[in-house]
Amino acid sequence: MAAEMAEQPAVLRRILTEGAGPIGAVAERIAARNPRFVLLTGRGTSDNAALYAKYLLEILLGKPCGLTSMSTTTAYGARPDLTDCLVIAVSQSGGSPDLVASTTAARDAGAITLAVTNNPESPLVAASEFTIDVLAGPERALPATKTYTAELLALYLLVEALRGGDGAAAAARLPELAERILDRRDEVRTLAGRYRFAERMVLTSRGYGYPTAREAALKLMETSYIPALAYSGADLLHGPLAMVDNVSPVIAIVPDGRGGRALRPVLDRLRDRGADLVVIGPADEVEAASAGFALPTGDVPEELQPILEILPLQRLAYEVTLARGQDPDAPRALAKVTETR
């Protein structure tokens, strides 16, 4: 896991230099078909990447967009009319039977199908009309790290190309900034020491940061086994806020932009409740929290910040796991390819 986290700047560079052209070519062919709406499919980490793409597609492209429930086709046999719909299946391995079956059903129902995967030889690719290879290279650790950030960047480049933009130019600084964040191991190790005995964690954000909260919660649960609950800041106020106390930490991912501004009333409520508030975001927000990690987002557009936000949280999951005397490379009861049906 540590080695693959460290590879992420190189993976991001590879996507920008080798992947942007092929992604643009796929986008051009899809744009010519003018899909009316978009459905996204994924499991686990790839589902969080799909949620990120949902924000991109709705905000930047103005397309109605939804996350699918695969069981509607695989278990219940539903066959909706998907004419003129773009169905994007996101998967690291491209091998889960339910993902392949739902993509096949979507194609049979008239959808334009696109596989976004780290395995161009996978069954998912064979089932799809179009393919984007995220170029992350083999990922052997059970907790996905480099494939997640690779999926995010590939999806961003796709959406930018669909709307005729130059995503590679906007993302050019990401590899350098990722290196700077990953070099700050000692800061994250200090945070891990502070929270090694946590019995639960709550993670929250708004907008583009919400998929980051979900992915960070997943990483904490699958490596350290700490129950980690992820909520949109808006949803947190609709009930779950009642469980927040001054013992269990609340990790807030604060985007530098509209999502962060929408989250500020939530941060105020959390402080009012005496929460042990950890902020991942701009330096001024970190200073007003109990602890945190300041991100050097600078002039990085808000829609690209999730690629940087997740990096210290991946490391936090790793360091907390080590501090608790567990092995992040061998989570119990998990396999690299989860074959749901």
Side-chain angles (χ1 to χ4, degrees), residues 205-210 253-261 263-264 280-282 302 305 309:
S205 189
R206 291 292 302 270
Y208 289 113
Y210 177 45
I253 295 92
V254 184
D256 188 3
R258 294 184 182 183
R261 291 193 289 274
L263 189 63
R264 281 176 191 152
I280 309 297
E302 184 180 353
Q305 291 173 25
E309 292 164 351

Side-chain angles (χ1 to χ4, degrees), residues 174-208:
L174 287 180
E176 169 210 343
L177 293 173
E179 285 176 341
R180 286 167 54 186
I181 290 169
L182 291 168
D183 283 344
R184 292 161 59 189
R185 298 181 188 89
D186 289 345
E187 290 181 53
V188 181
R189 195 170 292 124
T190 299
L191 275 179
R194 179 183 176 115
Y195 298 116
R196 62 180 293 189
F197 297 116
E199 295 185 1
R200 72 160 186 254
M201 293 187 183
V202 175
L203 294 97
T204 189
S205 189
R206 291 292 302 270
Y208 289 113

Side-chain angles (χ1 to χ4, degrees), residues 326-337:
Q326 294 153 194
D327 183 356
D329 286 330
R332 62 194 182 203
L334 296 182
K336 187 61 182 172
V337 179

